[in-house]
Structures are given as C-alpha cells and as structure tokens.
Amino acid sequence: MKPFLPILLSLCLVPCLAFADDELKKISEAMPSVPSVKPKKSHNILVYSHPSGFKHSSIPTGVKALREMARKTQAFTADFTLKTDAFTKDGLSKYDMIIFNNCTHVQKAFSESFQREAILGFIKSGKSFAGFHSASDGGVPQWPEYTDMIGGCFAGHPWNAGGTWPFFLADEKHPVNQGFEGREFQFSDEIYQYKGYDRSKLRVLVGLDSLKTDKKGNSKTNDYPVSWVRSYGKGRIFYSNFGHNKATWWTPFMLQHFLDGIQWALGDLKGPSDSIPQSN
Ligand SMILES: [Zn+2]
C-alpha cells in the first residue's frame, strides 16, 4: 500500500495549495498598487489575529490581505502575531500602530492590567489603532475601557453574512471614503448592531441604510454605524465592521477603504475625526 501514500498526499495537497494561491491572487489583483499618500516616514504595524471567542474563517484571508497591502503599497511594514507577548509598554515601543484583525473577546487575551494599560496607553500617547470586523466583539462588561476606545461593542448581527445590504456614505468627502466614489452601495457582509456606542465620540463614515432592509436592530434612531474614525487621547482610530466574508478582502473598493483608514490612523492621510450628527 505504501506507494499509494504519496499519490494520496498529492491528491489532498494540490487542491489546497491551488486554492491558497487563488485567494492570494485575487487579493493581489484587487489591492491598490500605490499608497493613497506617500508616507512621511516608515511605519511599523503589529497585527494581532488570535480569536479568544468565535473564530472567523476569514482571519487568514485578512492576514494575507494586510501582508499584501504592506508589500504592494509600501505604506507600512507589518509583523503578524497570534500571541500576546509583544503587548507590553516595551514590546509596543517599536510599533506605530496596532491592528486587531477579527480577533474576538480581547478581554480574555488581555486580562492583565499591565497589558490593557500598555495597549490603551500606546494609542493615547499618539499612536494608531485599526480594528476589523469582530475586533469590536469584546470589551464590555469585562474591559469597558476597550469598548470606549474602539467605539462600540458587538451586540448581535441582525444582517447576516449571506445577505446583501444597502450602505450610505455618512461623510462623502472624507478621504477614507474615496474608494466608494461618492456612491451608496450594496454589499454582502455580516453587519452588527452595537452596545456602548456613542455617536458623539466618533465620526461615522459609512452607515447601514437599515430602513431599506427587512431586519430591525436595537437602535431607536436606526443608527447603525459601519465604518468610523475617531481621536483617542493624542492617537487615532479606524474601525470597520466589514471583513466577516473572505470576499471582502479581495474587493477593490473595500481594500482601498481599509488602506485609507490605516493611512488616516497613521497620520499620513488627513481628514477630520470630530462627530457629525445623524442625518437620516
Ligand atoms: Zn462575523
């Protein structure tokens, strides 16, 4: 039977490898080829992707996309980790930004006060943070300061990943929205409602047009923010709810939005972060 083993192995491996290459190929083709603005200095980012709660299958896709974004646009360099070791005051000192890529229940991963102080102190001191999708699934009640920092905590997803939902631009002219070219759009991804969300603390850039859907969420004013920016101490934060579906990570206008959000948080792309009232 032994001669069959290599054949069996190759039968299993070839489709897997082919798929992995295909995913990277789609990401690479969809990725902007230049940064939106040339970085004034080099930026080093730490990307953390370990889920302490629900594990999204799009986590490796997000890693590939952020790695390809760094390689192709040269807007930043990035280290990728599933471990929490570097999240100390000293460990973070060589970085300009933290990205939480679809990690869940960060209150479990960062349960010690020195870790929490290191992360929040890092941002407050003038550094940057970006969170994608379930980076907001965590915080309250065990780590309310995290929810206060990121801007809201996941409280269910009435709009499921298989649906296609309508979105509007809450700030058409913001540079982080340039990838949408001023248009409302439909997109398929899993969309959250939040607890601990306070519009007055952040600037909503993209919102869900929930009244055009047949689902109801928890907001009395139908305020369902999807992407936003905010200031936090001297630092800057970009968060986007998009990123549950793998295909989000190879959609050109989404990758442009993500790149612009990261470059805005890094301070290279200029745009306001003060709150704007709900308009619809
Ligand atoms: Zn999700």
Side-chain angles (χ1 to χ4, degrees):
M1 294 298 281
K2 276 184 183 166
F4 290 104
L5 192 59
I7 296 168
L8 273 174
L9 271 175
S10 64
L11 280 174
C12 295
L13 283 173
V14 167
C16 297
L17 290 172
F19 175 76
D21 285 345
D22 184 46
E23 196 172 70
L24 183 57
K25 185 167 177 282
K26 284 188 278 191
I27 290 167
S28 189
E29 284 171 1
M31 189 65 69
S33 52
V34 290
S36 300
V37 59
K38 199 165 180 261
K40 287 188 209 74
K41 63 180 190 77
S42 60
H43 303 291
N44 198 16
I45 300 181
L46 181 61
V47 182
Y48 176 73
S49 303
H50 176 69
S52 297
F54 181 79
K55 184 177 182 178
H56 283 80
S57 62
S58 57
I59 289 174
T61 319
V63 167
K64 276 185 224 173
L66 293 167
R67 185 173 276 133
E68 182 64 4
M69 188 181 284
R71 187 197 69 79
K72 201 170 165 187
T73 71
Q74 310 265 302
F76 53 85
T77 56
D79 293 333
F80 294 82
T81 188
L82 297 171
K83 296 185 177 157
T84 59
D85 312 28
F87 290 88
T88 63
K89 196 161 186 263
D90 274 0
L92 290 174
S93 62
K94 66 173 182 166
Y95 294 104
D96 302 292
M97 181 176 201
I98 296 167
I99 292 181
F100 278 2
N101 167 40
N102 247 329
C103 47
T104 31
H105 294 185
V106 288
Q107 70 277 2
K108 292 178 192 158
F110 304 103
S111 58
E112 304 286 342
S113 58
F114 77 88
Q115 297 174 303
R116 296 179 175 191
E117 283 161 18
I119 292 168
L120 300 182
F122 171 87
I123 309 165
K124 279 179 188 164
S125 75
K127 301 291 182 81
S128 317
F129 176 93
F132 294 102
H133 192 58
S134 61
S136 67
D137 181 1
V140 288
Q142 299 95 333
W143 189 10
E145 296 84 0
Y146 175 80
T147 295
D148 179 58
M149 180 277 287
I150 198 169
C153 182
F154 165 85
H157 50 83
W159 303 276
N160 288 321
T164 299
W165 311 112
F167 301 94
F168 65 91
L169 304 182
D171 185 358
E172 281 180 30
K173 294 196 166 60
H174 202 283
V176 174
N177 274 348
Q178 64 179 313
F180 302 116
E181 298 178 337
R183 289 191 291 265
E184 296 181 353
F185 60 99
Q186 303 259 330
F187 197 66
S188 180
D189 212 326
E190 183 185 80
I191 303 303
Y192 292 169
Q193 58 185 8
Y194 296 94
K195 54 189 173 184
Y197 156 67
D198 180 350
R199 174 176 273 264
S200 72
K201 291 183 176 175
L202 46 88
R203 188 179 188 92
V204 178
L205 300 182
V206 179
L208 173 77
D209 204 345
S210 66
L211 295 177
K212 290 186 185 161
T213 75
D214 57 359
K215 309 280 182 192
K216 273 201 181 303
N218 66 355
S219 168
K220 289 189 177 71
T221 60
N222 296 303
D223 185 9
Y224 299 105
V226 177
S227 291
W228 62 75
V229 291
R230 67 165 301 186
S231 301
Y232 182 75
K234 293 178 188 163
R236 288 169 302 278
I237 291 158
F238 167 66
Y239 169 77
S240 183
N241 174 165
F242 294 118
H244 173 101
N245 287 344
K246 290 179 181 178
T248 298
W249 296 97
W250 59 73
T251 299
F253 64 83
M254 281 299 170
L255 292 176
Q256 184 69 57
H257 181 52
F258 291 174
L259 171 63
D260 290 335
I262 290 169
Q263 286 213 280
W264 179 88
L266 284 169
D268 287 328
L269 196 59
K270 300 297 180 194
S273 62
D274 51 314
S275 179
I276 38 179
Q278 191 179 1
S279 61
N280 62 326

